[in-house]
């Protein structure tokens, strides 16, 4: 299991029976593979599907059936199709239980940047702002640092903000944080990761939650 | 493997969860159970255009209950002693928001006797306000009612040379709606002109209870014909069911 | 043919092939019976039907199929059903070609009152304001005077106004007016009606249109 | 008698009118005829999420035509040399309004070269603005994009303690949409996720041209399953049809 797969598996543990779940592109897409077999969720795709199923075999691809990443999908029994206005009415109206999103940066208050890069022309926003604004719960999945080792959890965003709304949970390869009124609270270390390593690789200040679990305790949960 | 993104046979025969998270997902309850969820003072949307598409079994159960001081959002308030008219006669309704109450003389009398508050909206403004409530909007500008009594206490604004009035969204604690069929997940289809306000109301309340003529297996309503996707429906009662 | 039937028949002549038509309660409902056999229109009902058909025989009444007057109807092939928000989106968005409405009063500028009576509690408005605001064309059908002989076409409305929007055509048992920037223009007299009678029974000032037709000329058109 | 409120056999075999008003009501035309209606400088809504649900035959016909200076409202601008990407490559597009253009590098280049103006909207705001355009609204308040670059030139307003931004409706001269089936009246149904922006665009343009995979007789699409009622559709072309 690589770092991204670990993040996806950990995020999957956040899902509850009956949740309506929207998965972003990247690590979030992997989450579908790790949902526990006794937890039944419904995948929403903002281009107008409730009840997305697994990817089709190459010979069963239907060009009229894609997810929000424009990749071919299938649908499960009980699924429904609707237009984009209805789909975003669902999202904005708070009818999606959980969105799992990728990010470029997270600030000390739990606000994120995930749609544009400074200095580049802004020619795409898609549904990022809608999902972040409207979903009941937001889980962010990301590698803790960039390829260059730069922390993605920063004091202040240097990338354009996606929404003033704070996310609820941040899951990285190194740690899990919850976001409260006063900022980030470290909830868990990943197995084999020390508090010092997380402190060193996290630019933003954070508190250690009362219910904090170290890597060993987290490992025990996986077994 | 694709995890267990909803797989139908599992849901219909829920297994005991290893981690205690599993719960039976059936939304089917009785009218009695449904009505027990409603507390006095609640704001309730009730579907229907007159009695057509109105959840009559749920309303009958409400009339049997002790709940009162209700704020009803519905196009009409039934007829004397029929549909929502029963709740009016039994003085269970404190306030009504809708478009046309004149067809029930008991509503007119209750209003005159100051037993019932009334807030009137043009029918299109009302249906759009309910949609806006369900769609997470802060309000909208409509050209309807500009310059009339209906716009007296509303913000007027000129946009691109045309006058509009501002309308706030409508939301509620409960929506009692009527559909033709539900599948076991809660996907709904309606019956001809009995559709009316029901699909919007399904989106705009904290708890949505759908009264249906018939409950069918998942898959019997096709993905393309579903009007209200199941995520909007919390509970289902079968018409006349106890 | 009584006065109301004459008005309905005259209004029906205003309809064109392909029109999407909404008929109000009262005289407007009668219009359906007089649409020429070579003019094909589609009836819209604001409770969510496009393609309303004739009233059913008593044994074929379907309780789930009523028009905006809550009367049982049928639907024709090619009809569709939709929710109230969609139905009023059609109306407000200008997708209904013609609404034929009843009125309480019409003023000298062609504005109407048709939803409330002064001094009475206002407990009903329904779709009157939406139809008047949104329909591409508004035809008003009414008896020229009340039972007491009071003109319905008045200098200034004493009943609450329904919309600032002026109607396009006024059809009474005595005459037909069009509404222009500067007010009412008399277009036709009904067969057997004199200009003097209309002048006497019309409180509001009006002009005589250039294309004015007297009762004899109108009679010829009916034959 | 019920006058001749639309009676289907009459429409399919239109009679000569006694009064000269009768006209053949068929909406079926060729792609070539459809595109001839579009003039340079027009504002055109084009359905589709990427290429899915995009009216590719109509776009191909546009690419064969001389029209230019188009203002396109569409979620994306196709891919390089595919769908709307062809119109971009041929410099027929002056301005684009949509939510995600990054997937076509030629759009990025045209923007950098100042050959193409771009107006970006969050996807939900865009789809709602099109719906508002078709529904005759003057605009609406959405919480989406508050405090971001996307809201920089927009009115912000606090309503019931929550911040919103104002969004104007979107309308167009033409809508080119894609559906699965049309009946001869113009009633439409769509194909799975190819529905996307098409139903809203059908409501928000002066002239609506629907490209369909198949044309069927009236009655073959049931009254309950129709997604776009025929009053929204002016012309129909059959996919690949000339």
């Amino acid at each position: 299991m690589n770092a991204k797969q670990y993040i996806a598996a950990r995020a999957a543990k956040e899902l509850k029976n009956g949740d309506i779940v929207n998965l972003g592109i990247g690590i979030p897409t992997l989450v579908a593979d790790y949902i526990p077999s006794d937890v039944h969720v419904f995948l929403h795709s903002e281009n107008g599907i409730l009840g997305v199923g697994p990817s089709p075999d190459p010979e069963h691809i239907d060009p009229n059936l894609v997810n929000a990443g424009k990749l071919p999908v299938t649908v499960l029994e009980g699924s429904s199709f609707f237009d984009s206005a209805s789909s975003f009415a669902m999202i904005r109206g708070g009818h999606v239980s959980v969105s799992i999103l990728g990010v470029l940066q997270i600030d000390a208050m739990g606000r994120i940047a995930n749609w544009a890069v400074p200095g580049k022309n802004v020619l795409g926003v898609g549904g990022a702002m809608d999902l972040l604004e409207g979903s009941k719960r937001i889980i962010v999945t990301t590698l803790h640092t960039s390829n260059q080792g730069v922390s993605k959890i920063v004091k202040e965003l240097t990338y354009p903000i996606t929404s003033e709304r704070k996310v609820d949970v941040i899951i990285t390869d190194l740690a899990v944080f919850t976001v409260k009124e006063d900022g980030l609270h470290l909830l868990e270390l990943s197995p084999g990761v020390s508090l010092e390593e997380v402190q060193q690789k996290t630019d933003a200040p954070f508190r250690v939650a009362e219910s904090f679990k170290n890597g060993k305790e987290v490992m025990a949960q996986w077994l | 493997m694709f995890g267990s993104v909803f797989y139908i046979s599992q849901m219909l025969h829920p297994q005991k969860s290893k981690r205690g998270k599993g719960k039976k997902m059936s939304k089917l309850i009785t009218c009695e159970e449904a009505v027990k969820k409603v507390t006095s003072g609640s704001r309730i949307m009730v579907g229907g255009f007159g009695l057509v598409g109105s959840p009559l079994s749920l309303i009958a159960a409400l009339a049997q209950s002790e709940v009162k001081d209700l704020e009803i959002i519905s196009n009409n308030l039934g007829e004397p002693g029929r549909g929502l008219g029963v709740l009016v006669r039994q003085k269970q309704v404190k306030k009504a928001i809708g478009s046309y109450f004149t067809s029930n003389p008991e509503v007119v009398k209750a209003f005159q006797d100051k037993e019932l508050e009334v807030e009137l909206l043009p029918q299109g403004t009302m249906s759009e306000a309910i949609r806006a409530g369900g769609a997470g909007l802060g309000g909208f500008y409509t050209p309807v009612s500009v310059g009339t009594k209906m716009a007296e206490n509303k913000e007027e604004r000129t946009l691109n040379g045309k006058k509009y009035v501002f309308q706030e969204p409508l939301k509620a604690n409960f929506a009692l709606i009527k559909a033709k069929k539900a599948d076991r997940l809660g996907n709904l289809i309606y019956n001809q002109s009995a559709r009316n306000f029901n699909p919007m109301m399904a989106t705009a309340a904290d708890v949505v209870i759908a009264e249906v003529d018939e409950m069918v297996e998942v898959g019997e309503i096709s993905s393309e014909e579903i009007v209200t996707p199941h995520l909007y429906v919390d509970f289902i009662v079968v018409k006349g069911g106890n």
Side-chain angles (χ1 to χ4, degrees), chain A, chain B:
Chain A
M1 192 182 259
N2 65 27
K4 289 182 179 179
Q5 287 167 328
Y6 175 81
I7 296 168
R10 178 60 190 79
K13 291 177 76 171
E14 297 288 316
L15 300 179
K16 292 193 298 292
N17 239 357
D19 273 351
I20 309 298
V21 181
N22 189 295
L23 300 178
I25 295 168
I27 299 174
T29 305
L30 302 177
V31 172
D33 291 335
Y34 296 97
I35 300 169
S37 64
D38 57 338
V39 175
H40 310 301
V41 304
F42 302 92
L43 295 188
H44 175 272
S45 187
E46 62 263 37
N47 55 323
I49 314 173
L50 178 64
V52 176
S55 308
D57 302 324
E59 66 268 33
H60 290 110
I61 288 176
D62 183 329
N64 289 304
L65 188 49
V66 299
N67 65 15
K70 297 185 182 111
L71 297 172
V73 290
T74 56
V75 286
L76 300 173
E77 257 194 338
S79 63
S80 50
F81 299 112
F82 29 83
D83 64 47
S84 303
S86 302
S87 186
F88 282 94
M90 277 178 197
I91 294 169
R92 211 175 32 231
H95 306 288
V96 169
S97 329
V98 188
S99 280
I100 305 184
L101 303 173
V103 285
L104 297 166
Q105 281 184 332
I106 307 151
D107 78 7
M109 298 308 293
R111 293 171 302 195
I112 68 167
N114 76 341
W115 70 286
V117 174
K120 284 208 176 175
N121 295 313
V122 175
L123 293 177
V125 57
M129 293 183 174
D130 303 88
L131 285 163
L132 189 46
E133 167 60 40
S135 307
K136 274 191 210 140
R137 194 154 182 260
I138 301 283
I139 299 170
V140 155
T141 56
T142 179
L143 292 172
H144 206 93
T145 60
S146 73
N147 292 339
Q148 290 76 39
V150 178
S151 176
K152 296 214 178 185
I153 307 177
V154 296
K155 284 192 194 72
E156 282 184 25
L157 299 176
T158 56
Y159 285 51
I161 197 167
T162 308
S163 169
E164 293 182 350
R165 186 251 171 99
K166 299 168 184 178
V167 305
D168 297 280
V169 183
I170 301 160
I171 299 174
T172 79
D173 45 335
L174 305 187
V176 178
F177 299 87
T178 48
V179 178
K180 298 196 173 172
E181 268 308 300
D182 59 355
L184 311 182
H185 289 238
L186 178 67
L187 210 63
E188 290 180 16
L189 294 174
S190 298
V193 175
S194 69
L195 180 56
E196 290 66 36
E197 182 181 356
V198 170
Q199 280 168 331
Q200 192 201 322
K201 293 185 173 170
T202 308
D203 270 8
F206 61 85
R207 289 158 208 263
V208 177
E210 277 185 31
S211 61
F212 169 75
K213 292 194 180 81
N214 65 29
K216 250 185 205 160
E217 291 165 317
V218 168
M219 174 88 85
Q221 285 184 321
W222 283 99
L223 300 175
Chain B
M1 197 202 70
F2 193 65
S4 78
V5 168
F6 179 70
Y7 179 57
I8 195 66
S9 71
Q10 290 178 312
M11 208 222 61
L12 296 180
H13 311 286
Q15 300 154 353
K16 261 227 166 89
S17 165
K18 286 170 230 157
R19 286 167 38 245
K21 276 189 187 172
K23 56 169 185 175
K24 193 161 177 296
M25 284 170 75
S26 173
K27 294 176 174 178
L28 186 66
I29 58 174
T30 65
C31 275
E32 214 174 44
E33 288 166 338
V35 158
K36 273 192 190 142
K37 299 176 189 299
V38 179
T39 49
S40 289
S42 293
R43 180 182 252 218
I44 311 181
M45 291 181 177
V46 183
F49 183 79
L51 299 173
V52 179
S54 201
L56 296 178
S57 300
L58 283 168
I59 294 170
L62 262 189
Q64 296 279 318
S65 78
E66 302 290 311
V67 297
K68 54 183 178 122
D69 295 329
L70 297 176
E71 197 170 316
I72 299 287
I73 300 175
S74 191
N75 193 56
N76 319 94
L77 280 174
E79 297 173 10
R82 295 183 68 192
L84 289 171
V86 181
L87 303 188
V88 173
R89 186 175 282 179
Q90 297 182 172
K91 305 191 198 307
Q92 291 173 279
V93 184
K94 186 183 64 181
K95 183 177 175 180
I97 301 171
S99 96
Y100 202 79
F101 299 132
T102 330
S103 41
N104 183 347
E106 295 184 1
V107 172
V108 179
K109 180 158 189 321
F111 177 79
Q112 282 166 341
D113 296 348
K114 297 192 196 300
E115 287 173 352
L116 180 68
E117 266 179 87
V118 165
E119 194 179 319
L120 212 60
L121 291 168
Q123 199 172 141
T125 303
M126 177 190 167
S127 53
E128 189 69 19
I130 297 168
R131 184 190 173 279
L137 300 176
F140 58 89
Y141 289 100
T142 172
V144 174
S145 88
V146 167
T148 73
K149 263 187 198 296
M150 289 284 99
E152 267 171 6
N153 298 308
K154 293 190 174 169
E155 174 204 336
E156 185 180 302
R157 182 167 173 180
T158 299
L159 295 160
N160 289 315
K162 190 172 160 86
K163 288 189 278 186
Y164 295 87
V165 294
F166 179 67
Q167 176 61 44
E168 289 198 337
L170 283 173
K171 299 195 74 171
N173 305 116
F174 296 90
L176 307 184
I177 64 168
K178 176 69 172 55
K180 182 180 181 182
K181 286 186 192 177
D183 68 22
R184 289 184 185 278
L185 288 175
N187 289 307
L188 303 180
I189 54 168
Y190 300 90
N191 193 339
Q192 304 173 95
S193 68
R195 189 182 303 197
N196 56 64
F197 291 86
N198 290 297
M200 286 94 68
M201 289 180 172
T203 71
D206 302 330
V207 177
V208 176
I209 307 171
E211 173 179 333
V212 301
D213 292 336
E214 194 188 349
M215 181 104 164
V216 299
E217 293 306 318
V218 176
E220 286 188 43
I221 308 176
S222 86
S223 303
E224 299 280 9
E225 74 178 318
I226 289 167
V227 176
T228 295
H230 62 76
L231 55 67
Y232 288 120
V233 179
D234 298 294
F235 300 103
I236 303 164
V237 304
V238 176
K239 182 182 167 182
N242 296 308

